[in-house]
Amino acid sequence: MKSLKASGHQLANVDVQLQTLQSEVADTLQLPLFHEKLQTAGLFPLSTIEPAVFQINLGKMCNQVCRHCHVDAGPDRKEIMTRETMQACLDALAQTNIPMVDLTGGAPEMNPNFRWFVEEVRKLGRKVMVRCNLTIIVANPKYNDLPDFFRQHEVEVVSSLPFYNADKTDRQRGKGVFEDSVRALRMLNAVGYGQPDTGLLLNLVYNPNGAFLPGPQESLKRQFKRVLQDEFGIQFNDLYAITNIPISRFLDYLISSGNYDGYMEKLVNAFNPVAAAGVMCRNTLSISWDGFIYDCDFNQMLDLKVASPVQHVQDFDLTTLNQRSVVINQHCYGCTAGAGSSCGGTTA
């Protein structure tokens, strides 16, 4: 399976994605635009608060091609953050008190400067969170020692696991992914991750395998804990339930499967003002592989840069950035439906 970009798909063009979302919602479905919902809730314009997360996309290269991926990541994607841009991120971070650095991709570990960067961030006294797809740990011998590296630097590991069985996981992420994920989870457990009293956090991410909203997060967590422990001897700390955002490859799936209209109606009808008030874009700065600044990872994939004179990490100025409002569009319904959705799970 190729990425949308490699296959020349029209949805590889972010303008086409935005036009699809805008015209389908407003014209075809005659649903309210997202800013209208925010206005009704007294939340427009959506203001920012003091940033708590510095999220950095280290590149779109990945060892997997998942059908729901909003990044359109894969082995054929060659966009990788350079060491120069990484240094600019470190220089920007040093100007702030932002406590958490969230490393994502693609598979962030495939960036050749990944380990150096983690070490430099830790020298600044910041916590590091890595969004690990698990299979990267067993994909190549050069990655087999990642659990030990993570433990050494007290990296919080957040890993996607669509379900606790092979059928649903492999349908979303590829054949053999569940088996490899179990191997990787056991390796992480073996060095202390997910174990009581170690302080080594191993959190899982669940996102639905189709055009529906995730179930209650706490209920899912209990199910995952019971099955993974009983059947595989695996332990973890927390589980985050995340709604699939209707962009990139998931948008392609919705359209090709005839689920687009129903899914968008479901998101709009489930709009929750409490969830909207707690969205991650309010306290996050998201840096792309080439150094541009966004309100969140989803805006990054649609090339919706921050509404600020400062739009690149080399020009970083937190005072100026803190005066901005969040850039929104129709895809934002995904983060405000039901109990809400963020990189840390539900928001309401």
Side-chain angles (χ1 to χ4, degrees):
M1 182 176 173
K2 294 182 179 180
S3 67
L4 296 179
K5 182 177 181 180
S7 61
H9 197 290
Q10 63 174 352
L11 288 178
N13 184 326
V14 296
D15 291 334
V16 173
Q17 290 190 56
L18 289 168
Q19 288 167 10
T20 300
L21 288 165
Q22 189 85 6
S23 62
E24 286 287 323
V25 169
D27 300 332
T28 305
L29 300 178
Q30 296 186 330
L31 297 171
L33 298 176
F34 186 70
H35 78 269
E36 295 172 342
K37 280 285 192 179
L38 286 184
Q39 283 177 327
T40 301
L43 290 170
F44 184 79
L46 191 61
S47 61
T48 58
I49 57 178
E50 192 67 23
V53 179
F54 200 73
Q55 186 178 64
I56 305 170
N57 187 301
L58 295 183
K60 297 186 178 182
M61 185 180 293
C62 190
N63 61 307
Q64 296 182 172
V65 187
C66 302
R67 75 169 187 170
H68 69 289
C69 182
H70 70 278
V71 182
D72 192 29
D76 55 54
R77 299 301 298 264
K78 306 305 180 186
E79 300 93 329
I80 288 286
M81 183 176 280
T82 65
R83 187 156 174 154
E84 178 185 12
T85 303
M86 287 178 160
Q87 185 59 59
C89 289
L90 292 169
D91 294 342
L93 187 64
Q95 299 176 36
T96 77
N97 294 315
I98 298 175
M100 176 64 75
V101 176
D102 179 350
L103 302 181
T104 185
E109 303 91 342
M110 294 183 77
N111 187 302
N113 292 302
F114 170 77
R115 299 188 191 218
W116 167 80
F117 192 58
V118 170
E119 291 166 353
E120 293 301 307
V121 172
R122 292 296 285 143
K123 287 177 185 177
L124 292 175
R126 315 306 167 90
K127 287 289 294 181
V128 174
M129 174 195 302
V130 63
R131 297 191 179 272
C132 177
N133 68 17
L134 293 176
T135 63
I136 190 65
I137 294 173
V138 298
N140 187 298
K142 68 180 179 179
Y143 300 121
N144 290 170
D145 66 335
L146 278 171
D148 286 310
F149 177 80
F150 293 153
R151 176 187 55 79
Q152 179 184 351
H153 297 286
E154 299 179 299
V155 174
E156 178 179 338
V157 179
V158 178
S159 299
S160 178
L161 190 68
F163 210 63
Y164 43 70
N165 64 36
D167 178 53
K168 289 187 178 180
T169 298
D170 289 3
R171 274 193 282 138
Q172 186 181 106
R173 310 194 75 193
K175 187 176 180 180
V177 165
F178 183 76
E179 181 181 350
D180 286 348
S181 297
V182 167
R183 287 175 57 201
L185 286 167
R186 285 173 171 161
M187 291 168 71
L188 288 162
N189 278 176
V191 300
Y193 273 93
Q195 305 295 329
D197 304 319
T198 64
L200 298 172
L201 296 179
L202 172 60
N203 298 322
L204 301 184
V205 172
Y206 162 86
N207 60 293
N209 201 30
F212 52 90
L213 299 179
Q217 184 168 280
E218 282 302 311
S219 176
L220 285 164
K221 176 181 172 180
R222 288 193 296 270
Q223 292 177 42
F224 270 72
K225 276 188 172 288
R226 177 178 55 80
V227 176
L228 290 179
Q229 174 63 57
D230 292 350
E231 297 190 13
F232 306 100
I234 290 170
Q235 293 181 289
F236 64 93
N237 297 100
D238 209 348
L239 180 137
Y240 304 143
I242 294 181
T243 301
N244 287 315
I245 306 300
I247 63 175
S248 194
R249 288 212 286 264
F250 189 67
L251 178 59
D252 177 43
Y253 157 74
L254 290 173
I255 294 172
S256 63
S257 64
N259 281 299
Y260 178 80
D261 290 1
Y263 190 70
M264 291 307 299
E265 288 176 341
K266 191 174 299 181
L267 294 183
V268 174
N269 292 335
F271 176 82
N272 181 352
V274 177
V279 285
M280 62 183 177
C281 51
R282 300 189 68 193
N283 74 342
T284 298
L285 289 170
S286 180
I287 314 300
S288 63
W289 68 273
D290 51 358
F292 286 97
I293 306 173
Y294 300 82
D295 296 305
C296 70
D297 191 46
F298 304 120
N299 277 7
Q300 185 183 139
M301 298 312 144
L302 292 171
D303 199 27
L304 297 172
K305 298 180 179 68
V306 287
S308 169
V310 176
Q311 292 194 325
H312 197 277
V313 70
Q314 291 182 338
D315 306 313
F316 190 85
D317 181 85
L318 187 57
T319 301
T320 302
L321 285 165
N322 281 347
Q323 297 171 6
R324 78 192 192 282
S325 295
V326 174
V327 175
I328 60 171
N329 209 286
Q330 301 311 102
H331 66 289
C332 300
Y333 275 119
C335 290
T336 60
S341 179
S342 75
C343 287
T346 57
T347 61

